Amino acid sequence: MARTMNLARRRRSGELTLIIMVALITGGGYMLAALGTNSEIPARIVPFLVALVALLIITHIAVRLLARGADATILPLAAFLHGIGYVMITRIDERLAGLQTTWSFVSVAAFIATLVIVQRATDLARYKWLLFTAGAVLLVLPMVPGIGTTFNTGARIWVQLGPINFQPGEFAKLALAIFFASYLADTKELIAAGTWKLGPIHLPSPRYIAPLLIAWGFSVMVMVGEKDLGSSL
C-alpha cells in the first residue's frame, strides 16, 4: 500500500512539473503569435497566463483527488495539444480564440465530471456494445440529409442543429476507442490462443476477431464516404 501511494505521489508531482512546462510553452507561443501578427506583446498576456495556469491546476487537483494512480503524462500531453491549438486559432481569429476559451472551461468541467462518475475505467466495459452502437450512429449522423453539412473543407463531417455546429465523429472516436479496448480486454486470451490455422500461421478464431474487423471496416467505410480521410487513415 505504501509503495502504491509513493508511486501515485511521484506521478502527480511529475504531472504538476509537466503542466507548468506546458503553461510556459503555451504562454510563449501565444506571445510569439501576437508579436508576429501585431509586432507587440499582447496586453492580455498576464491574464491569459493566470487563467491558463488556474485551469491546469484545477484539472491537476481533480486528478490528484479522484485518480491518484493515473498516468502522469496524459494530462500534460492533452494540455500541450490544446495549447498549441489555441495559439494557432489565436493567429487566425481572436473571436474564435475567445470561443475556444469557453469550450476549454466546458471540457475541463466535463473531464472532472467524468472522473467523478466513472470511478473505475473497467466499469465502461459493461457498456461496450452500447458504446459501439452510439459510435456508429454518431459516425453516420453527418450523412443524414437536413442536418449533415460540409462547410468549406469538402468533408461531410459536421452536423448543424439550429445555431449549434459540431463534429459527431469526435465523440464517436471516444465511444469506439472504449469499445475496442473493452472487447480486447475481454477476449485477449481467446484471440491470443490462435485456434484457427492457415498453413503454418496460427490465427485467432473468426468468432472472436470478426466483431473487431466488422466494427473497424464499418467505421472506415463511413469515414471514407464522408471524405474524412484523415480519420480513416
Side-chain angles (χ1 to χ4, degrees):
M1 179 64 71
R3 183 178 179 182
T4 302
M5 292 181 64
N6 288 333
L7 177 60
R9 193 178 298 113
R10 287 199 301 270
R11 284 183 174 180
R12 301 286 66 80
S13 298
E15 180 182 84
L16 180 59
T17 302
L18 291 173
I19 280 177
I20 293 173
M21 292 175 61
V22 167
L24 293 175
I25 292 172
T26 303
Y30 178 74
M31 186 170 62
L32 289 174
L35 285 171
T37 304
N38 303 318
S39 300
E40 61 180 12
I41 297 177
R44 298 190 301 272
I45 184 64
V46 174
F48 170 77
L49 282 175
V50 170
L52 175 64
V53 171
L55 194 65
L56 293 176
I57 292 298
I58 289 171
T59 312
H60 167 72
I61 292 173
V63 174
R64 184 178 286 270
L65 294 176
L66 301 171
R68 296 184 183 91
D71 189 280
T73 60
I74 294 178
L75 178 58
L77 283 173
F80 176 73
L81 292 173
H82 170 270
I84 296 300
Y86 182 86
V87 170
M88 294 178 68
I89 292 173
T90 301
R91 289 190 61 206
I92 298 170
D93 190 332
E94 289 195 4
R95 183 187 63 83
L96 292 177
L99 184 61
Q100 179 68 14
T101 301
T102 301
W103 281 111
S104 298
F105 282 95
V106 171
S107 64
V108 168
F111 173 71
I112 295 174
T114 301
L115 291 180
V116 172
I117 296 170
V118 183
Q119 297 293 325
R120 294 176 299 275
T122 52
D123 292 343
L124 296 173
R126 292 181 293 178
Y127 308 103
K128 59 179 178 290
W129 291 107
L130 178 62
L131 288 167
F132 169 70
T133 303
V137 171
L138 287 169
L139 280 179
V140 175
L141 210 56
M143 301 180 71
V144 176
I147 61 173
T149 185
T150 58
F151 283 100
N152 299 321
T153 62
R156 194 176 179 85
I157 57 177
W158 289 86
V159 164
Q160 186 171 17
L161 297 174
I164 301 175
N165 303 309
F166 67 99
Q167 295 183 34
E170 299 302 319
F171 299 99
K173 291 173 188 176
L174 292 175
L176 292 174
I178 296 172
F179 163 75
F180 284 120
S182 301
Y183 185 84
L184 288 171
D186 289 344
T187 60
K188 58 184 177 183
E189 290 87 1
L190 297 170
I191 292 176
T195 56
W196 189 51
K197 192 173 182 181
L198 182 62
I201 303 174
H202 291 271
L203 299 173
S205 170
R207 176 182 176 183
Y208 302 113
I209 201 68
L212 284 177
L213 296 177
I214 292 172
W216 173 77
F218 171 79
S219 302
V220 170
M221 283 192 296
V222 171
M223 290 178 182
V224 170
E226 295 173 348
K227 298 181 181 179
D228 187 12
L229 299 182
S231 298
S232 302
L233 294 174

